[in-house]
């Protein structure tokens, strides 16, 4: 799942990996990788649209990194 996150340093794009139970399991943050676009192109994964829109779920992703995704 690809998301845009906002912080004091600006806007960054992050990629969340989702496990078989539809819960976020890992994160690759574009702020820490200068070759983030190459990483995104090199990882052959199906893109999942996030249907859990809302401020509470956004905060859960930022602080815990774990959110249940609705398929």
């Amino acid at each position: 799942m690809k998301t845009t996150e906002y912080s004091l340093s600006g806007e960054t794009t992050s990629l969340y990996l989702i496990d078989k139970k539809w819960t976020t399991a890992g994160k690759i943050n574009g702020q820490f990788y200068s070759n983030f676009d190459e990483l995104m192109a090199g990882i052959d994964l199906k893109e999942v649209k996030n249907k859990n829109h809302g401020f509470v779920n956004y905060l859960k992703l930022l602080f815990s990194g774990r959110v249940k995704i609705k398929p």
Side-chain angles (χ1 to χ4, degrees):
M1 177 178 70
K2 185 175 163 184
T3 63
T4 302
E5 297 177 351
Y6 305 94
S7 67
L8 294 175
S9 60
E11 180 179 309
T12 61
T13 302
S14 295
L15 174 69
Y16 284 91
L17 303 175
I18 300 171
D19 63 13
K20 292 181 181 182
K21 295 179 184 177
W22 290 94
T23 304
T24 54
K27 174 182 175 181
I28 301 172
N29 191 330
Q31 181 179 7
F32 302 113
Y33 297 95
S34 61
N35 61 343
F36 183 73
D37 293 330
E38 294 173 18
L39 285 171
M40 292 285 294
I43 298 174
D44 186 29
L45 297 173
K46 184 175 87 173
E47 185 174 346
V48 175
K49 299 293 182 187
N50 183 9
K51 296 180 183 178
N52 290 0
H53 295 290
F55 186 69
V56 173
N57 285 328
Y58 176 73
L59 290 177
K60 283 182 185 178
L61 273 176
L62 284 180
F63 294 109
S64 71
R66 303 284 291 177
V67 170
K68 182 83 171 163
I69 302 298
K70 296 177 185 176

